[in-house]
Amino acid sequence: MASVLNTVSSIILSNTNANRIRSRPVLEPISVSFTRRRLTIRATETDANEAVKSQAPDKAPAASGSSFNQLLGIKGAAQETNKWKIRLQLTKPVTWPPLVWGVICGAAASGNFHWNLEDVAKSIVCMMMSGPCLTGYTQTLNDWYDRDIDAINEPYRPIPSGAISENEVITQIWVLLLGGLGLAGILDVWAGHDFPIVFYLALGGSLLSYIYSAPPLKLKQNGWIGNFALGASYISLPWWAGQALFGTLTPDIIVLTLLYSVAGLGIAIVNDFKSVEGDRALGLQSLPVAFGAETAKWICVGAIDITQISVAGYLLGAGKPYYALALLALIIPQVVFQFQYFLKDPVKYDVKYQASAQPFLVLGLLVTALATSH
């Protein structure tokens, strides 16, 4: 849980007013012209209904920036000039662990993972595909299409600040995408699949990532659809890949993981609070914009908690009472941290909340995987 690299030479964006930040319309005409040596993509943009000027500084204060945050790709990052560190920052390594964990859960649910060298090697390659490659592709692509919003909310980020060029960003997107799809194909051959299911899961996930971030669909414009798509990408897709690699992906697991993705929707809402100003200015209907911060906070925690309670009920009904009780026990500290951090101030404490509560949620995923092991 969205081409040839060396032919990508430039991306030219039409801009008739340099002092205005511009937003993409829902339907955006795109023209693509091919020549022998270059591919040029021109995107025609129109003025937003209400142009917005960025009042934030061009770069984050160096004294307050953290080099560690920069490498993880989270807010509070130090300004960096090293291109490889900037490339790593765009992939947001802090977002890789849920995908890696999803692969582990899928392998556990398959009931066919063995602690031998071959299976461990397969799982590591699957984690590389899901985390650094395809999640890195998704995050870089999202930053590219969010550059107008980031110019308002976080103008010191690599793309709006000009720390990395347009051509370098586009090249990185293609390298990560093709690398991930290539690893997926290798895994199918390695597992002896007659039907390349891992490849098609990777391809489908990559397409979902693209329509999540890019016009004309840009699913993230709708808080419900966009956040559920994000939740499914982080929970369902890596689980499916891990289970398909080592066993058989079954309909009951597909339904259960899609249900769990509602909790992923709640997790995705956490990240929307810090972007309210830019989302509102550019017409994105994130849940904090649509319902207000107070209501959105409760939608967020409700989606996370009610989903897990429902899964615990499913496990109890399936004759797995001990697994159900273990899952319920893991929900309790999440609720405590919600009241301690998130519900007090979702912007100020978002990192603390996620660092404190999410380990219990992902442990719950593993409990569920073990309970449903085929």
Side-chain angles (χ1 to χ4, degrees), residues 111-164:
N112 197 36
F113 176 84
H114 303 285
W115 286 101
N116 56 47
L117 182 60
E118 182 178 9
D119 281 4
V120 170
K122 283 180 184 177
S123 65
I124 291 173
V125 173
C126 194
M127 292 171 189
M128 291 292 294
M129 173 198 74
S130 300
C133 289
L134 294 182
T135 305
Y137 150 78
T138 298
Q139 296 294 347
T140 307
L141 184 74
N142 188 62
D143 266 24
W144 172 253
Y145 283 107
D146 269 2
R147 61 195 184 280
D148 289 343
I149 296 175
D150 287 342
I152 299 171
N153 296 319
E154 301 174 277
Y156 44 80
R157 288 191 60 78
I159 296 176
S161 70
I164 187 168

Side-chain angles (χ1 to χ4, degrees), residues 269-276 288 292-294 296-297 300 342 346-347:
I269 297 172
V270 174
N271 296 315
D272 288 339
F273 287 91
K274 65 184 179 182
S275 304
V276 168
E294 193 63 29
K297 286 191 299 186
C300 175
F342 182 73
V347 177

Side-chain angles (χ1 to χ4, degrees), residues 16-323:
T16 58
N17 188 341
N19 293 323
R20 299 164 87 86
I21 293 176
R22 317 187 56 147
S23 66
R24 299 177 179 272
V26 175
L27 293 175
E28 180 182 25
I30 298 177
S31 63
V32 182
S33 59
F34 291 85
T35 65
R36 174 182 296 181
R37 303 182 65 179
R38 60 191 288 147
L39 163 65
T40 303
I41 303 175
R42 293 182 174 85
T44 305
E45 299 179 322
T46 59
D47 284 327
N49 293 333
E50 186 176 355
V52 180
K53 294 182 179 180
S54 173
Q55 301 298 326
D58 289 335
K59 58 171 73 175
S64 62
S66 163
S67 297
F68 183 69
N69 287 11
Q70 188 274 328
L71 290 175
L72 290 180
I74 58 179
K75 69 180 182 180
Q79 292 298 111
E80 183 58 65
T81 57
N82 183 294
K83 281 296 172 64
W84 289 106
K85 289 184 178 180
I86 292 171
R87 289 186 182 280
L88 182 63
Q89 181 182 0
L90 285 175
T91 66
K92 294 186 178 68
V94 73
T95 64
W96 299 351
L99 283 293
V100 171
W101 192 257
V103 172
I104 293 172
C105 291
S110 74
N112 197 36
F113 176 84
H114 303 285
W115 286 101
N116 56 47
L117 182 60
E118 182 178 9
D119 281 4
V120 170
K122 283 180 184 177
S123 65
I124 291 173
V125 173
C126 194
M127 292 171 189
M128 291 292 294
M129 173 198 74
S130 300
C133 289
L134 294 182
T135 305
Y137 150 78
T138 298
Q139 296 294 347
T140 307
L141 184 74
N142 188 62
D143 266 24
W144 172 253
Y145 283 107
D146 269 2
R147 61 195 184 280
D148 289 343
I149 296 175
D150 287 342
I152 299 171
N153 296 319
E154 301 174 277
Y156 44 80
R157 288 191 60 78
I159 296 176
S161 70
I164 187 168
S165 72
E166 296 174 351
N167 287 345
E168 289 169 327
V169 175
I170 297 300
T171 300
Q172 175 162 320
I173 289 170
W174 280 113
V175 167
L176 293 172
L177 173 61
L178 295 179
L181 294 178
L183 289 179
I186 290 171
L187 287 171
D188 278 316
V189 173
W190 196 350
H193 291 158
D194 294 328
F195 178 80
I197 185 170
V198 178
F199 175 82
Y200 279 108
L201 286 172
L203 185 63
S206 302
L207 177 60
L208 181 63
S209 298
Y210 179 79
I211 64 176
Y212 172 81
S213 298
L217 294 179
K218 199 164 191 175
L219 299 181
K220 67 185 298 179
Q221 291 181 120
N222 182 291
W224 294 108
I225 298 173
N227 285 332
F228 182 77
L230 194 61
S233 297
Y234 275 82
I235 293 176
S236 298
L237 284 170
W239 182 316
W240 295 350
Q243 185 156 346
L245 179 61
F246 293 102
T248 302
L249 184 58
T250 55
D252 60 321
I253 289 296
I254 292 174
V255 172
L256 184 62
T257 51
L258 287 175
L259 173 61
Y260 233 125
S261 296
V262 177
L265 178 151
I267 295 170
I269 297 172
V270 174
N271 296 315
D272 288 339
F273 287 91
K274 65 184 179 182
S275 304
V276 168
E277 179 185 349
D279 290 349
R280 183 180 291 117
L282 296 177
L284 300 182
Q285 289 298 303
S286 66
L287 295 186
V289 171
F291 293 96
E294 193 63 29
T295 301
K297 286 191 299 186
W298 290 100
I299 294 174
C300 175
V301 299
I304 294 171
D305 298 341
I306 294 173
T307 297
Q308 293 178 90
I309 293 170
S310 300
V311 173
Y314 168 84
L315 295 179
L316 184 62
K320 307 281 186 177
Y322 296 113
Y323 288 102

